[in-house]
Amino acid sequence: MATQQTRTLSRVMMAPAVILLFVWMIVPLAMTLWFSFQNYNLLNPMMTGFAGWGNYLYVIGDPSFTQALVNTLLLVGGVLLITVVGGTFLALLLDQPIWGQGILRILVISPFFVMPPVAALIWKNGFMHPGYGMLGHLWDFLGLQPVDWFNQYPLFSIIVIVAWQWLPFATLILLTALQSLSEEQREAAEMDGANALNRFWYIILPHMARAITIVILIQTIFLLGIFAEIRVTTGGGPGYASTNLTFLVFRTGILSNDIGAGSAGGVVAVILANIVAIFLMRAVGRNLDA
């Protein structure tokens, strides 16, 4: 049992790290809030002063904000659909006693360790380039017109790249959950005459429900801030076709040099992300308590 002295000593020893983390988080947030209420444009240094809610009204009223919000939801939803369904399929495959299982697991998990800008460059130049990418050569071999993916299907291309990166994470979590299922349950269901589809639907999938919920929660939190893949491949274009909220803040604050509006957009993006995170946390809590 910890005494009052040991508890006090532990708090004192932890205090420097806690204070440092608090300052590290609160200072950028406080500066962002401050600039969001200011007229601050790097191209016009003479335009200063208190802007009130003007920056927020400008950001929310901009048609590009609505498109960026829709793109963000489509991006998150598309990646989650691919990773959860694909991760479940790969987990079932890797759970089978096949030859070279260890090597196959390493190959499946390896994309998760590739840095996002590197992964985006690989897909942009090695796979999706209409001239010298692998898909371009495949389309040419089949006698079809090569597809300029990042101009014709920009958001879909981003979804594919991001899903390729996050699929190993979902597979690893779901495979761990699948391997915790007792073999007696599977054998009992098989002896009762349940076919493979029924065993998956009534036994395996309910057992993996909590793991799927955790995958959705963790991935959603990270997917709301996707930036590098968009920056390296499409630059948010054509137009705003592949711009999400994070990249819209970058466009407004950095590329357009409007620090005030960019800060307001960042605050709005943080608020929306926290709303989604709180909703998902409650959903996860209900699922885990069930």
Side-chain angles (χ1 to χ4, degrees), residues 118-140:
V118 177
L121 284 174
I122 291 174
W123 277 90
K124 179 181 180 180
N125 298 319
F127 290 97
M128 290 183 167
H129 194 280
Y132 49 81
M134 291 183 62
L135 293 179
H137 288 299
L138 177 61
W139 259 241
D140 187 60

Side-chain angles (χ1 to χ4, degrees), residues 84-100:
V84 171
V85 175
T88 302
F89 174 77
L90 287 175
L92 292 172
L93 178 63
L94 294 176
D95 190 50
Q96 303 301 317
I98 57 179
W99 183 84

Side-chain angles (χ1 to χ4, degrees), residues 14 30 41 44 89 110 127 136 161 163 165 191 219 238 254 282 290:
M14 292 175 59
N41 193 307
N44 189 5
F89 174 77
S110 58
F127 290 97
I161 295 173
Q165 293 178 264
M191 292 177 63
Q219 287 193 174
I254 304 301
R282 291 185 176 181

Side-chain angles (χ1 to χ4, degrees), residues 127-270:
F127 290 97
M128 290 183 167
H129 194 280
Y132 49 81
M134 291 183 62
L135 293 179
H137 288 299
L138 177 61
W139 259 241
D140 187 60
F141 175 77
L142 296 175
L144 302 174
Q145 183 68 27
V147 179
D148 191 354
W149 294 96
F150 295 107
N151 283 322
Q152 296 177 250
Y153 310 102
L155 188 60
F156 174 76
S157 302
I158 300 297
I159 290 174
V160 170
I161 295 173
V162 177
W164 179 79
Q165 293 178 264
W166 281 94
L167 183 58
F169 171 80
T171 302
L172 186 62
I173 300 298
L174 297 177
L175 178 60
T176 303
L178 182 60
Q179 290 181 336
S180 66
L181 178 63
S182 63
E183 193 64 30
E184 289 77 8
Q185 285 184 276
R186 303 188 190 188
E187 293 176 354
E190 189 173 357
M191 292 177 63
D192 289 338
N195 56 34
L197 182 60
N198 288 333
R199 292 198 301 271
F200 170 77
W201 187 258
Y202 293 106
I203 297 178
I204 296 176
L205 194 58
H207 180 78
M208 298 173 65
R210 293 188 176 185
I212 292 175
T213 306
I214 295 296
V215 168
I216 292 175
L217 171 63
I218 296 176
Q219 287 193 174
T220 300
I221 294 174
F222 283 94
L223 293 175
L224 290 171
I226 290 296
F227 173 80
E229 294 84 348
I230 300 175
R231 175 63 172 167
V232 172
T233 55
T234 64
Y240 289 88
S242 59
T243 297
N244 63 350
L245 288 177
T246 305
F247 200 82
L248 180 64
V249 172
F250 171 76
R251 270 185 136 172
T252 305
I254 304 301
L255 299 184
S256 299
N257 297 289
D258 193 344
I259 304 301
S263 299
V267 173
V268 172
V270 169

